[in-house]
Amino acid sequence: MALPDRQAAYSEPAELNPAAMRHVEENDAEPKFRAIIGKGGARRGIRLESVYWDGLAWLLNGSRQSLGDVVEQAAGQMGENGNLASMLRVVAFRWMWRRLSLMENVYSVENLNALIQACPTPAIVLTRDKKIQFFNEPFMTMLKQKLVLGNIAQLSAGFRFVLDTQVDEALQSLSSKGKMITTGFTATCAGKQLTGQMNLAMAPSHQKQMVIGYVVRG
C-alpha cells in the first residue's frame, strides 16, 4: 500500500443499490386507513401505505410532537383542493431527506479525516480493497522512527503495509458484531520491517465501508 496525501479527502458518488428493491417488505405498499385525532378533537380519516405510517412513527420517536400534530401541520400547508394523504407523503419524504442530509454531512470522509488528524496516537484508515485512505502525523512519525528513514521520499517508494486480518473479513465482523478487533500488522520499506498490533473499528463514513486502525504496539 502506498501512502496517500493525508490531507486529501474525496467523496465518491453514491450508487443506487438494486438489492435495496429486493428488501421491500410485502406489505410496505399496502394502504392502511387510520383515524387521527388532532388538536381540539378534530378527527381525520387518512389512508396511507404502511411504509409511510412506519416512517412517520420512526421520525416521531423521541419527539415532543404527536402524529396528530404532524397531520395538523400538513393540513395547514395544503391548498384549497389539496390532498392530505399526498401532503403527508411529501412531509415524510422531505423530513427523511433532511435527516439523511444531516447524517451524511456528519459521516462524511472530510469529517473522518479530521477525526484521524485529531487522534494523538498513530492511526490509519483502510478501505475494503486494502488501500490507505488516511493517516495522521503520529503514524508517519512512528514509521520514520521505527524504520529509520531519512526522509519522506523513502516511504513513497516500495512501502508496504499489511494486516494479519483481511480487511474484508474485519469489515464483516465489525458490521455484524460491532466489537473492536485486535490484529497484527507489518510495515516494510527499504529492506526494513516493523511489526506491531492495532485495534480495528468501523470507520464512521456513509460513502463506503472502511476501518480505522489505532496502533497499540509498534
Side-chain angles (χ1 to χ4, degrees):
M1 301 178 191
L3 286 171
D5 179 356
R6 63 176 176 276
Q7 299 300 330
Y10 67 92
S11 174
E12 289 189 342
E15 295 183 1
L16 291 175
N17 185 359
M21 291 298 295
R22 296 195 293 271
H23 292 133
V24 173
E25 298 293 334
E26 186 176 347
N27 64 342
D28 279 348
E30 179 184 345
K32 285 189 177 181
F33 178 87
R34 292 183 63 176
I36 306 298
I37 300 176
K39 292 180 180 179
R43 184 185 180 92
R44 289 185 171 89
I46 303 169
R47 186 180 297 276
L48 281 177
E49 291 79 6
S50 296
V51 69
Y52 285 106
W53 289 123
D54 293 343
L56 286 168
W58 181 76
L59 288 167
L60 285 167
N61 186 34
S63 170
R64 294 182 180 180
Q65 285 189 310
S66 67
L67 187 55
D69 294 332
V70 174
V71 171
E72 288 290 334
Q73 292 168 18
Q77 295 182 62
M78 287 193 313
E80 185 175 339
N81 299 316
N83 182 288
L84 183 55
S86 295
M87 180 59 70
L88 281 171
R89 292 185 186 95
V90 172
V91 168
F93 185 81
R94 177 66 68 179
W95 200 349
M96 192 77 74
W97 195 350
R98 288 192 183 119
R99 184 171 291 189
L100 176 62
S101 177
L102 175 63
M103 297 307 293
E104 285 191 347
N105 181 59
V106 171
Y107 293 102
S108 65
V109 290
E110 291 81 7
N111 282 338
L112 174 59
N113 187 31
L115 181 67
I116 292 300
Q117 302 311 319
C119 183
T121 58
I124 189 172
V125 174
L126 301 170
T127 64
R128 183 182 288 274
D129 54 358
K130 306 175 186 178
K131 292 181 180 179
I132 298 175
Q133 182 77 49
F134 302 119
F135 61 94
N136 60 7
E137 189 63 38
F139 183 82
M140 176 62 69
T141 299
M142 178 191 71
L143 293 181
K144 288 193 291 187
Q145 291 178 346
K146 300 292 184 176
L147 296 176
V148 195
L149 300 174
N151 55 63
I152 189 67
Q154 289 181 272
L155 279 174
S156 301
F159 175 75
R160 285 179 53 81
F161 185 87
V162 181
L163 292 179
D164 293 349
T165 302
Q166 290 292 326
V167 176
D168 196 57
E169 293 178 3
L171 284 169
Q172 291 181 21
S173 178
L174 291 168
S175 296
S176 60
K177 300 177 182 177
K179 296 182 179 179
M180 176 190 71
I181 297 174
T182 299
T183 185
F185 70 85
T186 302
T188 57
C189 185
K192 302 181 181 68
Q193 179 174 292
L194 165 66
T195 59
Q197 282 188 326
M198 60 171 41
N199 293 331
L200 301 180
M202 184 71 75
S205 172
H206 72 89
Q207 278 102 332
K208 59 182 177 180
Q209 285 191 320
M210 295 180 281
V211 295
I212 299 179
Y214 299 97
V215 177
V216 293
R217 182 179 64 82

